């Protein structure tokens, strides 16, 4: 994300400088008086600055929209992961209780069988 921001800034700076240099060059070669030429240069530079500022604001807004979207998706993902964790934890608890019950039943059956075997041996 940082590389993209850096690329956008570099592009906008290049566009601003290139546009300004082009506008100034065009004005310098135009047949006008000094005062008129200076006024045109100021106007052109101001227009380029305003356009660059608009582009920067638009880029910031788009970046903020992307960040907000990613945050929403991350929150949704974390919520789903939490739900899956709770479900899995519940299933593990249920399975553990079932295994413990079966183990207790098996112990009781083994104890009953051992007692029956002892009783048969005593006869």
């Amino acid at each position: 994300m940082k590389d993209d921001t850096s690329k956008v800034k570099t592009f906008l700076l290049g566009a601003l400088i290139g546009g300004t240099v082009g506008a100034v060059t065009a004005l310098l070669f135009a047949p006008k008086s000094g005062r008129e030429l200076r006024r045109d240069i100021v106007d052109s530079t101001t227009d380029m600055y305003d356009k660059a500022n608009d582009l920067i604001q638009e880029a910031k807004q788009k970046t903020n929209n992307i960040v907000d979207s990613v945050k929403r998706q991350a929150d949704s993902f974390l919520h789903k992961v939490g739900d899956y964790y709770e479900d899995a934890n519940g299933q593990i608890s249920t399975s553990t209780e079932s295994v413990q019950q079966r183990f207790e039943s098996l112990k009781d059956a083994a104890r009953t069988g051992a007692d029956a075997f002892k009783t048969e041996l005593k006869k």
Side-chain angles (χ1 to χ4, degrees), residues 43-90:
D43 290 343
S44 177
T45 303
T46 302
D47 288 343
M48 288 293 191
Y49 176 79
D50 290 342
K51 286 179 184 178
N53 196 28
D54 291 344
L55 287 173
I56 289 170
Q57 293 304 320
E58 185 179 335
K60 283 181 180 180
Q61 183 61 41
K62 287 182 179 181
T63 301
N64 288 337
N65 290 343
I66 291 170
V67 168
D68 290 343
S69 175
V70 169
K71 283 181 181 179
R72 282 192 307 273
Q73 290 175 1
D75 287 343
S76 174
F77 176 75
L78 290 175
H79 183 71
K80 286 178 183 178
V81 167
D83 290 346
Y84 289 139
Y85 172 78
E86 289 176 14
D87 289 345
N89 197 21

Side-chain angles (χ1 to χ4, degrees), residues 86-103:
E86 289 176 14
D87 289 345
N89 197 21
Q91 289 176 358
I92 288 171
S93 295
T94 302
S95 296
T96 302
E97 290 172 5
S98 175
V99 167
Q100 286 175 343
Q101 288 173 354
R102 288 181 182 173
F103 182 71

Side-chain angles (χ1 to χ4, degrees), residues 33-50:
S33 68
R35 177 176 284 167
E36 198 177 345
L37 178 61
R38 286 190 300 272
R39 173 55 42 206
D40 287 347
I41 290 172
V42 168
D43 290 343
S44 177
T45 303
T46 302
D47 288 343
M48 288 293 191
Y49 176 79
D50 290 342

Side-chain angles (χ1 to χ4, degrees), residues 105-121:
S105 296
L106 184 61
K107 275 183 10 182
D108 291 343
R111 198 174 292 131
T112 302
D115 290 343
F117 183 70
K118 284 180 186 176
T119 303
E120 284 298 317
L121 282 177

